[in-house]
């Protein structure tokens, strides 16, 4: 009875129990630091209970406000980034001393690169970007919320369920060792019967559905919810890239979900999609995975490009150079992204004609990408660049380092060269070289830039700048040595090696990773010190950077309904134009009641049931899996019949808040960009006098 | 002391090519690097200059806040990458066709069948009726064609100094053609992650003059060990070639690793990339029977699938070729 209740879960699956019965330093090192997350989670729940903070927490978790959902995505990602960085530093330091064996056993190392990769892609980079998109896009297009607020909350719930599964695998059982790509037949039931692969399938499957829904939500939001006058060719660049990413999400996530389901069918119900025998073929998984995987890298990079576009024009105080070119390049990339997936397996034995065709298609993508780099340089050209700000450091780090990443990408696009460097550290260097200076810098700069919109105060520039420099320098020291190592033949995913020639560069790289760990620490310190000093950093009037787009035309923090009166747009940088005209904060005559959707438990319930479904499947607790699934179906049906609940904010209330804000803006003197990073910056930009 | 760090023991990479294909790849790498630099060096040089010239303090009357397009510049921005990529695409096309890993590099190539196992490679010389584990011996100057499969999960066989890599996949075959122009040793390995022992799955490729090649083959024919169904099942167990030696009845001698000389069973236990195992091969159809294993219509079980934790050599027999029921 009990056995069927707990499926294949038993006491020994629980790492802590195992550790207690048979203490093992290895296990303690590897799982110890990272296990802080689930344990910390339990601690947090108890703490909240004690502090009686349940109410506000529930208020957040059930919120459908796009800004709150965005913030929750971002907090989730920071927590997951902690784990990813700890694991990365462990791997790097292990390899630094791994000539003929380091301090990690191979089994632990294999789990580390698998969880690091899976976690960083699906639970750090994606939710970070989706969080930023949530925060910024509705504001940028002058909307009150996204098209489907409830769906937004469901997406968050599903992402959270995926994150729960990959995190709980630290405590109960273990995660897959098959890498973030999780290729069968290594991940088939015969070779890897344990729960690890099933954790991967369920975590990726659930969060993948969440991401697809996010794609639908934002594509519709951007198509349908733009304010009056916001024509396509007037949209801010970040919104354009969010649109491209949404379209990519809609078309790229389903192949991954399908691959997960098929691998699941192989493992649970003895199907033969990807098995060695019975006509199964693992090549189909590899194709499906990369049909998702390549567009995925553009899902990750395009919004970062969007952030960089916003930053270059805002911090050079200048119009974006080549708007049309950049939009065209973005959309070109989004389309081409679907036609290059095969470059991830040039070595699978297909004909040279196929390889050459996909190699050339890959080269083609570098054309619009190169154009964008030139466009950003031209945007800086003729500007007044504020070199003393954090975002500009990220921007410059991005421009230099991303170009180098593109350089190695072009080398990899040549099938003949890929025969040599495929699966080597050269590849690892390449994708970190685009993902860290590209995606991660974009994310961190974006957080710095929009932080006042989320919380009402700026981040401290002093710590912010140190953080940005640490990420940049740490990146260079950690990853540049991997290029020569890869050319020298060192493969990826290896716990140790036997060739002394690798040692010096490995030591450098290991030292660099410590700097990256420090960079993460400084990121946290930046948040912490800024929260402590928030009184001095507030920017209530809402425009701390002399912004050009609509999101800066709101107070900080932004009211629930975003805009008291939806703005009308007559040009590209509408807010900038209004400021030049001098009527940005002019009084408004007419206010109306604003209806906003009420909080809902829908997303939270789906998220929790998602955890149950995944956990039940992993441990063969069929009652839990089936129960969660049926309950989720029932929830969806019930909510479909419930009447929409809305909250009405009366016109008078809106008027009071908005008039106060406008009056304060008119009466405040404001700061020029010279005092931008001082306490004097209350979020009102004074027109800049250009020195003679 | 220092040179032991800087010197690779054997030709480990295509930066030290020992055959014409790797040499052509190295040349192509140089070409690609130079061509790409044409497009990226201007950007890398421009950035610091722009930052300096247009820094806020000093931009002054150079400040042009509304400048946002210029036709000539636009043409240059699109034109430069288009030209560079066009040139690169041409060379990419031609060299990819020219260095086709499936194309035989001359008449009468030496045909070697390769089976990837956890975590070792078995090289079968059906015509010579010998086999080597984790050791590949090829005559200098004669084209070689490897035909590969895997009898576990997917692997990737790479010989950097000679040719590069191609996947070896279960139930399928792939090919890798190369030719060694210089005598000497090169490193071969599996680059695809296959679990616990993957990074020990390395071997030496000996490119030797023809007479020495003949001599080594002749010596291997004298090996006390035969590759047959039973010994194959033992090899298919998870473990490196070193670890397979004892179950195969090989005494592992302590002593310095000898990389010259014949592929014998002498090796030091502590040296991970030890010497391979030479075997007689009276039954040359092993390769085909390994492929057949997945096409009999009978599902594999944890006991019969090499690579599975419950694999049992006693239960995992190779089917006769007549048992094949499916075509792929
Ligand atoms: C914080 C700095 C980071 C360091 C020091 C780091 C380090 C590493 C290391 C050591 C590996 C294993 C390499 C190997 O296989 O030999 C790895 C793999 C990987 N990393 Fe990172 N990483 C970092 C950040 C990131 C970020 C931000 C992402 C993505 C958003 C990322 C994505 C990946 C992926 C996808 C893999 C491949 C995993 C696999 O082999 O399946 N990493 N990283
Ligand atoms: Cu790709
Ligand atoms: Cu195949």
């Amino acid at each position: 009875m009990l056995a069927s209740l707990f499926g294949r879960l038993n006491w020994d699956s629980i790492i802590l129990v195992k550790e207690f019965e048979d203490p093992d330093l290895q296990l303690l090192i590897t799982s110890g630091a990272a296990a802080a997350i689930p344990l910390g989670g339990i601690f947090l729940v108890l703490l909240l209970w004690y502090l009686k903070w349940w109410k506000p927490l529930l208020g957040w978790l059930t919120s459908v406000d796009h800004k709150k959902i965005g913030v929750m995505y971002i907090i989730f990602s920071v927590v997951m980034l902690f784990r990813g960085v700890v694991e990365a530093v462990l791997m790097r330091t292990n390899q630094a001393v791994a000539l003929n064996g380091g301090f990690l056993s191979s089994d632990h190392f294999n789990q580390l690169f698998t969880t690091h990769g899976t976690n960083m892609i699906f639970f750090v980079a994606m939710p970070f970007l989706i969080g930023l998109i949530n925060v910024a896009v509705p504001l940028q297009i002058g909307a009150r919320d996204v098209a489907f607020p409830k769906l937004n909350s469901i997406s968050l719930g599903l992402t959270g369920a995926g994150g729960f599964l990959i995190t709980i695998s630290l405590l109960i059982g273990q995660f897959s060792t098959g890498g973030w790509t999780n290729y069968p037949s290594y991940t088939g039931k015969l070779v890897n019967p344990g729960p690890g692969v099933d954790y991967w399938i369920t975590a990726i499957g659930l969060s993948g559905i969440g991401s697809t829904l996010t794609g639908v939500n934002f594509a519709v939001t951007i198509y349908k919810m733009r304010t009056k006058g916001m024509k396509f060719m007037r949209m801010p660049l970040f919104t354009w890239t969010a649109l491209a990413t949404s379209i990519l999400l809609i078309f790229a996530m389903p192949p991954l979900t399908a691959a997960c389901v098929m691998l699941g069918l192989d493992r649970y119900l003895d199907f033969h999609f990807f098995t060695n025998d019975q006509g199964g073929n693992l090549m189909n998984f590899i194709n499906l995975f990369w049909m998702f995987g390549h567009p995925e890298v553009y899902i990750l990079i395009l919004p970062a490009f969007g952030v960089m576009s916003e930053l270059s024009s805002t911090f050079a105080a200048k119009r974006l150079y080549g708007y049309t070119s950049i939009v065209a390049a973005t959309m070109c990339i989004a389309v081409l992204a679907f036609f290059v997936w095969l470059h991830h397996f040039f070595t699978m034995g297909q004909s040279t004609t196929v390889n050459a065709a996909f190699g050339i298609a890959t080269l083609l993508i570098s054309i619009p990408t190169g154009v964008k780099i030139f466009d950003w340089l031209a945007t800086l050209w003729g500007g007044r660049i504020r070199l003393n700000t954090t975002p500009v450091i990220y921007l410059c780090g991005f421009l230099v380092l991303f170009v180098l990443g593109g350089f190695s990408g072009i080398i990899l696009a040549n099938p003949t060269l890929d025969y040599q460097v495929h699966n080597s550290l050269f590849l690892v260097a390449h994708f970190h070289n685009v993902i860290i200076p590209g995606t991660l810098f974009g994310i961190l700069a974006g957080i710095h830039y929009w932080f006042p919109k989320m919380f009402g105060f700026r981040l401290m520039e002093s710590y912010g700048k140190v953080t940005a420099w640490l990420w940049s320098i740490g990146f260079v020291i950690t990853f540049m040595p991997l290029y020569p190592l890869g050319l020298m033949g060192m493969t990826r995913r290896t716990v140790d090696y036997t060739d002394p020639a690798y040692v010096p560069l490995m030591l450098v790289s290991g030292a660099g990773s410590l700097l990256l760990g420090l960079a993460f620490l400084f990121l946290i310190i930046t948040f912490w010190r800024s929260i402590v000093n928030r009184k001095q950093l507030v920017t209530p009037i809402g425009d701390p950077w002399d912004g050009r787009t609509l999101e800066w035309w709101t107070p900080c923090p932004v009211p629930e309904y975003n805009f008291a009166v939806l703005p009308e747009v007559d040009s590209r940088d509408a807010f900038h134009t209004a400021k030049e005209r001098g009527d940005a904060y002019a009084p408004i005559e007419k206010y109306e009641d604003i209806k906003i959707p009420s909080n809902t438990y829908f997303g939270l319930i789906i998220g929790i049931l998602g955890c149950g479904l995944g956990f039940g499947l992993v441990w063969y607790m069929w009652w839990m899996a089936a129960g969660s699934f049926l309950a989720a179906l029932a929830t969806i049906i019930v909510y479909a019949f419930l009447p929409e609940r809305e909250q009405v904010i009366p016109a008078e209330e809106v008027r009071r808040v908005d008039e106060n804000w406008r009056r304060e803006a008119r009466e405040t003197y404001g700061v020029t960009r010279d005092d931008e990073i001082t306490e004097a910056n209350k979020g009102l930009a004074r027109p800049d006098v250009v020195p003679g | 002391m220092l040179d032991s760090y800087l010197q690779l023991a054997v030709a480990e990479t295509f930066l030290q090519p020992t055959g014409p294909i790797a040499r052509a790849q190295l040349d192509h790498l140089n070409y690609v690097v130079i061509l790409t630099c044409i497009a990226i060096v201007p950007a890398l040089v421009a950035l610091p200059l722009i930052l300096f010239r247009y820094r806020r303090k000093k931009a002054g009357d150079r400040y042009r806040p509304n400048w946002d397009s210029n036709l000539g510049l636009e043409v240059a921005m699109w034109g430069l990458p288009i030209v560079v990529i066009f040139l690169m695409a041409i060379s990419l096309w031609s060299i990819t066709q020219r260095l086709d890993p499936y194309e035989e590099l001359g008449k009468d190539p030496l045909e070697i069948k390769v089976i990837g196992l956890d975590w070792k490679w078995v090289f079968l010389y059906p015509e010579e009726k010998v086999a080597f584990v984790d050791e590949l011996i090829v005559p200098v100057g004669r084209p070689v064609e490897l035909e590969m499969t895997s009898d576990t999960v997917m692997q990737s066989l790479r010989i950097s100094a000679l040719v590069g890599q191609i996947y070896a996949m279960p139930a399928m075959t792939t090919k890798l053609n190369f030719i060694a122009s210089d005598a000497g040793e090169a490193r071969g390995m599996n680059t695809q992650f296959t679990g616990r022992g993957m990074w020990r799955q390395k071997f030496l490729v000996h490119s030797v003059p023809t007479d020495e090649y003949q001599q080594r083959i002749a010596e291997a024919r004298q090996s006390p060990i035969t590759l047959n169904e039973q010994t194959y099942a033992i090899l298919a167990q998870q473990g490196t070639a070193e670890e397979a030696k004892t179950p195969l009845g090989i005494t592992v001698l302590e002593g310095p690793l000898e990389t010259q000389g014949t592929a014998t069973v002498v090796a030091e236990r502590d040296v991970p990339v030890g010497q391979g195992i030479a075997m007689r091969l009276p039954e040359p159809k092993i390769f085909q029977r390994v492929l057949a294993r997945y096409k009999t219509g009978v599902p594999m079980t944890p006991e019969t699938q090499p690579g599975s934790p419950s694999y049992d050599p006693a239960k995992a027999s190779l089917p006769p070729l007549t048992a094949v029921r499916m075509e792929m």
Side-chain angles (χ1 to χ4, degrees), chain A residues 277 317 325 352 422 489 501 688, chain B residues 56 63 74 97 158 167 300:
Chain A
D277 58 339
S325 247
T352 50
H422 180 63
D688 229 2
Chain B
R56 176 172 167 83
Y63 180 44
E74 206 76 0
Q97 301 290 11
R158 185 185 81 193
Y167 289 160
M300 301 295 286

Side-chain angles (χ1 to χ4, degrees), chain A residues 1-235:
Chain A
M1 176 59 205
L2 212 61
S4 63
L5 205 57
F6 287 105
R8 59 172 160 171
L9 182 64
N10 55 37
W11 277 113
D12 281 344
S13 317
I14 299 171
I15 306 279
L16 283 180
V17 175
K18 211 158 45 182
E19 192 59 34
F20 189 70
E21 288 172 349
D22 174 20
D24 170 4
L25 192 63
Q26 281 278 320
L27 202 62
L28 212 62
I29 298 175
T30 47
S31 50
I37 294 175
L39 293 179
I42 296 171
F43 173 75
L44 204 70
V45 170
L46 294 176
L47 186 75
L48 287 172
W49 192 282
Y50 179 75
L51 291 175
K52 301 202 171 58
W53 277 8
W54 271 124
K55 267 257 162 63
L57 182 70
L58 264 187
W60 273 78
L61 291 178
T62 58
S63 172
V64 288
D65 180 348
H66 68 93
K67 301 175 289 297
K68 284 191 173 158
I69 288 183
V71 168
M72 285 188 279
Y73 268 116
I74 290 171
I75 293 175
F76 171 81
S77 311
V78 171
V79 174
M80 299 307 264
L81 179 64
F82 166 69
R83 175 176 177 188
V85 170
V86 168
E87 290 175 331
V89 173
L90 267 174
M91 283 189 286
R92 274 279 145 265
T93 43
N94 174 69
Q95 280 195 333
V97 297
L99 183 66
N100 296 318
F103 56 85
L104 292 178
S105 77
S106 66
D107 208 40
H108 291 137
F109 188 86
N110 303 346
Q111 268 187 72
L112 283 178
F113 67 70
T114 307
T115 44
H116 166 79
T118 309
N119 187 41
M120 282 292 199
I121 299 284
F122 295 102
F123 302 111
V124 175
M126 284 181 84
F128 251 143
L129 290 169
I130 291 176
L132 282 182
I133 290 175
N134 258 294
V135 168
V137 165
L139 288 167
Q140 285 200 326
I141 60 173
R144 291 237 159 86
D145 206 332
V146 295
F148 309 115
K150 262 191 236 162
L151 194 66
N152 206 7
S153 151
I154 292 175
S155 294
L156 175 67
L158 288 171
T159 307
F164 166 82
L165 289 167
I166 191 173
T167 305
I168 200 76
S169 76
L170 282 169
L171 284 186
I172 304 178
Q174 61 155 338
F175 202 69
S176 172
T177 54
W180 85 284
T181 51
N182 225 44
Y183 286 176
S185 37
Y186 180 78
T187 53
K189 195 171 68 171
L190 294 181
V191 176
N192 261 306
V197 179
D198 299 317
Y199 268 128
W200 186 91
I201 293 177
T202 49
I204 299 309
L206 287 170
S207 69
I209 296 170
S211 307
T212 314
L213 297 178
T214 300
V216 173
N217 209 339
F218 278 90
V220 177
T221 303
I222 295 171
Y223 285 137
K224 290 286 181 195
M225 311 270 290
R226 281 166 292 136
T227 189
K228 212 162 157 197
M230 178 65 79
K231 303 200 174 117
F232 275 117
M233 290 311 274
R234 286 182 185 161
M235 293 194 317

Side-chain angles (χ1 to χ4, degrees), chain B residues 246-309:
Chain B
T246 312
L248 284 174
I250 299 169
T251 343
V252 182
L253 297 183
E254 303 287 330
L257 172 71
E258 233 195 289
T259 47
Q260 297 297 315
T262 45
T264 60
V265 296
V266 183
E268 186 193 7
R269 228 190 212 307
D270 292 340
V271 178
V273 189
Q275 244 167 334
I277 307 169
M279 298 171 120
R280 279 178 288 132
L281 181 66
E283 207 268 273
K285 289 280 184 213
I286 293 244
F287 184 80
Q288 286 78 357
R289 288 174 67 193
V290 165
L291 281 167
R293 158 182 265 169
Y294 299 107
K295 300 175 185 175
T296 57
V298 182
M300 301 295 286
T301 63
E303 287 77 32
T304 58
Q305 172 66 62
S308 139

Side-chain angles (χ1 to χ4, degrees), chain A residues 281-283 348, chain B residues 169 172-174:
Chain A
N281 196 322
L282 58 94
M283 296 196 293
M348 209 155 73
Chain B
M169 296 173 285
M172 292 173 257
T173 59
T174 46

Side-chain angles (χ1 to χ4, degrees), chain A residues 100-101 106 110 113 177-178 183 185-186 190-191 193 272 276-283 286 316-323 325 328-329 344-349 352-353 355-357 359-360 363-364 366-368 370-371 373-375 377-378 380-387 396 399-400 403-404 407 410-411 413-424 487-504 548 572 672-674 688 690-692, chain B residues 4-9 12-15 22 25-26 28-29 32-33 36-37 39-40 42-44 46-47 50-51 53-57 59-70 73-74 77-78 80-82 85 88-89 91-93 95-97 99-102 152-154 156 158-167 169-172 174 187 189-196 198-200 202 272-273 294 296-302 305-309 326 328:
Chain A
N100 296 318
S106 66
N110 303 346
F113 67 70
T177 54
Y183 286 176
S185 37
Y186 180 78
L190 294 181
V191 176
H272 289 276
N276 292 350
D277 58 339
Q278 303 289 83
N281 196 322
L282 58 94
M283 296 196 293
I286 298 179
K318 187 169 160 288
R319 295 177 72 147
L320 188 70
Y321 176 89
Y323 177 92
S325 247
H344 295 274
F345 44 90
F346 280 142
T347 52
M348 209 155 73
T352 50
T353 311
N355 273 354
I360 290 174
L363 289 183
L364 288 183
S366 61
I367 297 173
V371 169
I373 300 277
F374 290 135
D375 280 328
L377 289 174
L380 297 179
W381 178 277
R384 300 183 69 202
I385 307 163
R386 277 117 67 192
L387 289 174
C396 297
L399 284 173
V400 174
V403 165
L404 298 179
F407 185 8
I410 286 185
I411 293 175
N414 286 266
T416 34
L417 299 178
D418 187 64
Y419 291 154
Q420 288 287 358
V421 288
H422 180 63
N423 272 346
S424 77
L487 291 176
M488 284 159 74
M490 186 166 175
T491 52
R492 70 191 289 197
R493 298 177 177 167
T494 55
V495 59
D496 53 31
Y497 46 91
T498 50
D499 202 323
Y502 299 153
V503 171
R548 311 171 71 85
R572 203 165 277 160
T672 65
R673 296 305 94 203
D674 291 324
D688 229 2
V690 180
Chain B
S4 77
Y5 277 106
L6 299 178
Q7 200 75 54
L8 296 163
E12 191 85 56
T13 134
F14 72 120
L15 306 180
Q25 286 166 325
L26 180 58
H28 186 61
L29 175 67
V32 169
V33 167
T36 317
C37 281
I40 69 171
L44 293 178
L47 180 68
I50 292 176
L51 289 180
R53 191 174 151 94
Y54 294 104
R55 65 196 190 281
R56 176 172 167 83
K57 284 210 189 69
D61 53 3
R62 291 194 285 254
Y63 180 44
R64 286 188 290 162
N66 292 326
W67 178 71
D68 68 355
S69 64
N70 176 311
L73 196 57
E74 206 76 0
M77 280 177 176
W78 285 90
L80 181 65
I82 286 179
I85 292 304
M88 196 177 300
S91 78
L92 182 151
W93 181 271
I95 193 154
T96 306
Q97 301 290 11
L99 302 187
D100 182 354
Y102 275 56
T152 165
V153 303
M154 185 172 91
S156 187
R158 185 185 81 193
I159 308 170
S160 289
L162 286 168
V163 55
Q165 68 194 301
I166 286 287
Y167 289 160
M169 296 173 285
M172 292 173 257
T174 46
R187 169 81 67 231
M189 64 173 79
N190 167 28
T191 69
Q192 178 68 33
F193 179 72
T194 53
R196 199 159 38 79
M198 166 246 170
W199 36 90
R200 293 292 150 87
K202 298 180 179 173
V273 189
Y294 299 107
T296 57
V298 182
M300 301 295 286
T301 63
Q305 172 66 62
S308 139
M326 318 162 62
M328 298 202 25

Side-chain angles (χ1 to χ4, degrees), chain A residues 182-316:
Chain A
N182 225 44
Y183 286 176
S185 37
Y186 180 78
T187 53
K189 195 171 68 171
L190 294 181
V191 176
N192 261 306
V197 179
D198 299 317
Y199 268 128
W200 186 91
I201 293 177
T202 49
I204 299 309
L206 287 170
S207 69
I209 296 170
S211 307
T212 314
L213 297 178
T214 300
V216 173
N217 209 339
F218 278 90
V220 177
T221 303
I222 295 171
Y223 285 137
K224 290 286 181 195
M225 311 270 290
R226 281 166 292 136
T227 189
K228 212 162 157 197
M230 178 65 79
K231 303 200 174 117
F232 275 117
M233 290 311 274
R234 286 182 185 161
M235 293 194 317
L237 238 291
F238 183 69
T239 299
W240 266 111
T241 55
L243 177 60
T245 283
S246 306
I247 296 172
L248 289 172
L249 281 171
I250 295 172
F251 290 105
M253 298 312 290
L256 177 68
T257 311
C260 279
V261 170
M262 287 155 92
L263 186 59
L265 288 172
D266 276 6
R267 291 178 60 87
Y268 285 92
L269 297 175
D270 284 327
F271 278 48
H272 289 276
F273 285 116
F274 310 128
T275 56
N276 292 350
D277 58 339
Q278 303 289 83
N281 196 322
L282 58 94
M283 296 196 293
N284 292 333
F285 180 93
I286 298 179
N287 272 283
L288 280 172
F289 185 87
W290 289 110
M291 274 178 205
F292 144 78
H294 190 85
E296 167 73 6
V297 306
Y298 288 99
I299 289 172
L300 296 183
I301 202 65
L302 288 178
F305 284 175
V307 174
M308 294 305 174
S309 302
E310 304 286 338
L311 296 182
S312 57
S313 100
T314 307
F315 287 89

Side-chain angles (χ1 to χ4, degrees), chain A residues 597-617:
Chain A
S598 304
N599 284 14
T600 170
Y601 281 91
F602 198 0
L604 187 60
I605 295 175
I606 294 288
I608 292 172
L609 293 175
C611 296
L613 172 63
F615 196 76
L617 281 175

